[in-house]
Amino acid sequence: MAKAQATKEAKAAAKAARKKASRERRTQLWQAFKMQRKDDKLLLPLMIGSLVGIIAVAVLIGLLTGALVFLLPLGILLGLLVAFVIFGRRVQKSVFAKAEGQAGAAGWALDNLRGSWRVKQAVTGNAHLDAVHRVIGKPGVILVGEGSASRLRTLLAQEKKKIARVVGDTPIYDVIVGNDEGQVPLKKLERHLNKLPKNINGKRMDALESRLAALGGRSGPGMPKGPMPAGAKMKNVQRSMRRR
């Protein structure tokens, strides 16, 4: 009896937790929508236009085929879905635009990758806030640099040489995030990584992660965990890093 009561209470607690999480997600979405609407004057016209357009097409086809009762609800659902996708993509575009060029932006983007990527931020860096992040995925090992390209080349070469000793024949790629020739823009970083060839499986990824964790490495000094505000005082940041 007591066990059944405990199970019932656990289910009730889990249900309450799900409801709370759902409310929090809705609140976050609404806040994101309000913020985006202030900066993006095209957001509402695009969302409303897509919703109305898809519903109109559904009604037209429904009238012509005699299936309006079926197609109208489908058109409304599809219109809402497309409007939500437009909202999500414009929010993402806005976030990346604000983050681009700020120290820590690439590390933040890597931490938000979708999929089975293993990210280690700032495995090496310097007092100028140039940093190299390490990513393990199905392509192999990817070193992602952010900062000054001229200084990053040395950091990338050193890190590549160090990890090559322990990863065997696993491919090692290097990427510099930026907008110059040969670099990958921040907003296209995830797409670039996903386009790399798949060379290893999950079991090999686990083994590589263990080996590289044992290898250790110096973290980039004071590298922020997210994009640093544009007004941050670099001299003060560098002074605090040297104290570490």
Side-chain angles (χ1 to χ4, degrees):
M1 188 69 177
K3 186 176 181 180
Q5 182 65 24
T7 302
K8 187 176 180 180
E9 290 176 356
K11 287 182 178 179
K15 185 177 180 180
R18 288 195 297 270
K19 286 184 176 180
K20 182 180 178 182
S22 180
R23 285 196 301 269
E24 289 176 351
R25 284 195 296 270
R26 288 196 297 268
T27 301
Q28 290 170 356
L29 283 172
W30 177 242
Q31 290 174 346
F33 174 76
K34 290 193 294 184
M35 292 175 62
Q36 184 67 20
R37 187 178 59 180
K38 289 180 182 178
D39 299 332
D40 187 354
K41 302 304 180 185
L42 288 176
L43 179 64
L44 273 179
L46 287 172
M47 291 179 68
I48 294 171
S50 64
L51 176 61
V52 172
I54 291 173
I55 292 175
V57 171
V59 169
L60 180 60
I61 296 174
L63 290 173
L64 292 174
T65 60
L68 182 60
V69 176
F70 172 72
L71 289 176
L72 180 57
L74 183 62
I76 293 173
L77 289 174
L78 185 59
L80 289 172
L81 176 61
V82 171
F84 188 78
V85 169
I86 290 172
F87 163 65
R89 289 187 175 179
R90 293 188 76 84
V91 167
Q92 185 182 48
K93 182 179 179 181
S94 177
V95 169
F96 276 102
K98 291 176 182 178
E100 195 161 15
Q102 298 181 31
W108 163 78
L110 291 171
D111 267 351
N112 286 278
L113 288 174
R114 289 164 293 185
S116 56
W117 302 95
R118 321 289 173 82
V119 177
K120 175 69 174 176
Q121 283 201 36
V123 291
T124 188
N126 57 34
H128 300 282
L129 295 185
D130 304 312
V132 174
H133 312 291
R134 186 178 68 221
V135 182
I136 302 172
K138 290 185 178 179
V141 180
I142 307 106
L143 299 176
V144 179
E146 63 173 320
S148 167
S150 57
R151 293 190 295 261
L152 280 171
R153 290 189 186 96
T154 301
L155 290 175
L156 285 167
Q158 290 173 347
E159 189 64 20
K160 197 170 185 178
K161 184 178 180 180
K162 182 171 72 174
I163 67 174
R165 300 174 187 146
V166 297
V167 300
D169 59 353
T170 302
I172 304 173
Y173 301 88
D174 58 81
V175 176
I176 294 179
V177 175
N179 296 310
D180 295 334
E181 186 177 354
Q183 299 178 354
V184 178
L186 182 67
K187 63 183 179 181
K188 295 182 179 179
L189 180 58
E190 182 172 3
R191 189 187 313 169
H192 177 83
L193 297 184
N194 283 323
K195 284 184 176 180
L196 293 174
K198 305 296 185 289
N199 299 306
I200 62 176
N201 56 25
K203 188 175 181 180
R204 183 74 177 273
M205 287 167 58
D206 291 338
L208 286 172
E209 189 174 22
S210 298
R211 289 183 198 172
L212 291 174
L215 180 67
R218 178 176 64 87
S219 294
M223 175 56 60
K225 293 299 181 183
M228 178 177 290
K233 296 182 179 179
M234 297 297 291
K235 290 183 179 178
N236 292 340
V237 173
Q238 292 176 4
R239 189 180 301 118
S240 66
M241 289 189 303
R242 283 194 290 270
R243 289 173 183 167
R244 297 181 185 186

